[in-house]
Amino acid sequence: MTYLLTQIFLYMLVTFLLGLLLGWLLWRYGRPTSGEIDALRDENKRLRADLEVCTIKKAKLEAHADAPAPVVVAAPIPAPTSEGTYTGPSSKPQGLSAARDGKADELQQIHGVGPKMEKLLHSLGYYHFDQIASWTTSEVAWVDNNLEGFKGRVTRDEWQKQAKAFAKN
């Protein structure tokens, strides 16, 4: 019996000493170095400066929000400009509920139309080159203004011109 108690006591003593050694190592080497502390202080200063700038901007915005809104007068609707861009009233082009014969043209052949844009055009009912080629100026303006995230793309990349070329083939 004394043998077992001696063995248990020795194991507990070794475990205690190992715990002390491990604790001391973690305490000694787990502390941040002076370089890390300096870097954290610099980061803290930078963040405080950013916070101060944001607080000033917020105060300015709140001051402007309290001011009365300016009165906006509607301007007359202009006609097409000499550059070919149309800024007048727009109308939605006629779309299809599905592609003719169940097969849509590969609209990605048009420069500026990628996979996302092609899906967006399909969701609006445009599946074929001849549809795009036949858009009027006001319809081009409507599509330009209603392509979510791609406004002005039809005019900028000259889709109609490209679609007419692809429709002939």
Side-chain angles (χ1 to χ4, degrees):
M1 177 86 160
T2 56
Y3 175 75
L4 284 174
L5 288 174
T6 309
Q7 292 260 327
I8 290 172
F9 177 74
L10 284 175
Y11 282 127
M12 288 177 62
L13 182 63
V14 168
T15 305
F16 176 74
L17 291 175
L18 282 174
L20 278 178
L21 178 65
L22 182 61
W24 178 79
L25 287 172
L26 287 173
W27 174 79
R28 172 87 167 96
Y29 296 107
R31 292 184 295 179
T33 64
S34 61
E36 291 172 331
I37 291 172
D38 291 341
L40 288 173
R41 283 187 184 135
D42 291 342
E43 181 71 9
N44 190 5
K45 286 179 187 176
R46 187 187 64 77
L47 290 173
R48 285 183 188 273
D50 287 349
L51 178 63
E52 188 175 327
V53 168
C54 288
T55 305
I56 292 169
K57 285 183 180 178
K58 177 185 172 202
K60 287 180 181 177
L61 288 175
E62 286 175 349
H64 287 292
D66 293 340
V71 178
V72 178
V73 178
I77 299 171
T81 62
S82 59
E83 302 163 356
T85 57
Y86 184 78
T87 56
S90 59
S91 60
K92 182 178 180 181
Q94 184 67 37
L96 301 173
S97 58
R100 289 183 221 121
D101 301 325
K103 186 169 186 208
D105 292 341
E106 191 176 333
L107 298 179
Q108 291 184 41
Q109 290 179 343
I110 297 175
H111 174 71
V113 177
K116 273 186 158 182
M117 180 64 76
E118 187 174 40
K119 285 181 185 176
L120 181 57
L121 289 170
H122 288 175
S123 71
L124 293 171
Y126 314 121
Y127 299 92
H128 303 285
F129 295 122
D130 61 288
Q131 284 179 283
I132 297 171
S134 66
W135 287 344
T136 65
T137 309
S138 67
E139 291 172 338
V140 168
W142 186 93
V143 176
D144 263 343
N145 290 324
N146 289 285
L147 288 178
E148 299 166 15
F150 303 98
K151 293 190 186 292
R153 202 65 167 289
V154 178
T155 306
R156 190 171 51 244
D157 292 338
E158 299 179 328
W159 286 7
Q160 271 196 298
K161 191 178 193 182
Q162 296 178 61
K164 286 176 185 174
F166 286 122
K168 288 180 185 176
N169 295 335

